[in-house]
């Protein structure tokens, strides 16, 4: 199974992202994640047969609830367009701490700096879109360990979660 740690989005943040996706659909083509798959990845773990080591890393992390906000023009990595997330020290600390704990559990983590983003569309075909993600925010109170099974589409399944206090 492919594993990753992610923040599940509130209905208000999800609606803002869906508004941006609708605008993108009117301007081009691509592979759009369905509403239930929109999330903010904190760390990608890759293929694993047993999530026990990931659960151990998850249990080590300590963080207070914090605010997460989206809004403004999307960014992109090649043909993948994404919604940015407002910089927040607590979010950055959570991601960096998780990645360090995952390394200590034997998981490879990317060396490049972490850039918080939420994928709006993959394999974009069209001109540079003229889209603005509406502003929305939420309080993050937990994050999840999820798996990604591909059977014609991505299906995310929660394997475990960590509440923030």
């Amino acid at each position: 199974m492919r594993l990753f740690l992610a923040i599940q989005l509130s209905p208000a943040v999800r609606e803002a992202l869906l508004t941006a996706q609708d605008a993108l659909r009117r301007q081009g083509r691509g592979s759009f994640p369905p509403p239930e798959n929109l999330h903010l990845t904190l760390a990608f773990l890759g293929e694993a047969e047993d999530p026990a080591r990931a659960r151990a890393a998850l249990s080590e992390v300590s963080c207070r609830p914090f605010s997460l906000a989206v809004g403004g023009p999307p960014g992109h990595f090649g043909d993948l367009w994404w919604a940015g997330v407002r910089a927040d020290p607590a979010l950055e600390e959570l991601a960096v701490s998780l990645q360090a704990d995952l390394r200590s559990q034997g998981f490879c983590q990317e060396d490049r700096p972490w850039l918080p983003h939420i994928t709006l569309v993959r394999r974009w075909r069209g001109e540079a879109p003229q889209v603005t993600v509406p502003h929305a925010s939420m309080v993050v109170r937990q994050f999840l360990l999820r798996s990604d099974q591909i059977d014609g589409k991505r299906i995310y399944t929660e394997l475990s979660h960590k509440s923030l206090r």
Side-chain angles (χ1 to χ4, degrees):
M1 73 182 76
R2 293 178 72 202
L3 299 177
F4 63 99
L5 294 165
I7 294 172
Q8 186 98 15
L9 305 173
S10 71
V13 170
R14 184 172 282 120
E15 278 304 311
L17 300 171
L18 292 174
T19 297
Q21 281 186 325
D22 288 343
L24 285 164
R25 280 187 180 93
R26 290 189 298 273
Q27 297 178 44
R29 295 181 294 119
S31 176
F32 293 86
E36 64 273 11
N37 286 1
L38 293 171
H39 66 276
L40 172 62
T41 300
L42 296 168
F44 180 72
L45 287 71
E47 295 292 332
E49 291 187 24
D50 180 5
R53 290 184 305 137
R55 284 188 182 109
L58 194 96
S59 68
E60 296 296 317
V61 173
S62 176
C63 182
R64 293 189 182 278
F66 58 90
S67 179
L68 182 144
V70 299
H76 69 99
F77 307 125
D79 65 355
L80 183 147
W81 286 82
W82 46 265
V85 175
R86 184 184 70 212
D88 184 292
L91 174 60
E92 181 76 20
E93 183 180 325
L94 174 60
V96 169
S97 175
L98 268 174
Q99 292 170 15
D101 289 340
L102 289 165
R103 281 186 190 91
S104 75
Q105 292 292 331
F107 288 96
C108 291
Q109 293 294 288
E110 294 179 338
D111 289 330
R112 66 182 176 205
W114 181 71
L115 175 66
H117 66 280
I118 302 164
T119 299
L120 296 171
V121 60
R122 291 177 178 83
R123 295 181 294 285
W124 173 255
R125 297 292 171 251
E127 299 295 321
Q130 301 300 309
V131 174
T132 298
V133 178
H135 290 276
S137 63
M138 63 181 273
V139 175
V140 176
R141 298 185 191 284
Q142 72 174 8
F143 60 95
L144 312 170
L145 173 63
R146 299 178 85 172
S147 71
D148 173 15
Q149 299 172 351
I150 300 176
D151 184 26
K153 65 178 184 174
R154 294 177 191 261
I155 300 171
Y156 297 141
T157 306
E158 179 182 339
L159 300 176
S160 183
H161 72 272
K162 167 82 176 189
S163 294
L164 304 179
R165 296 187 173 101

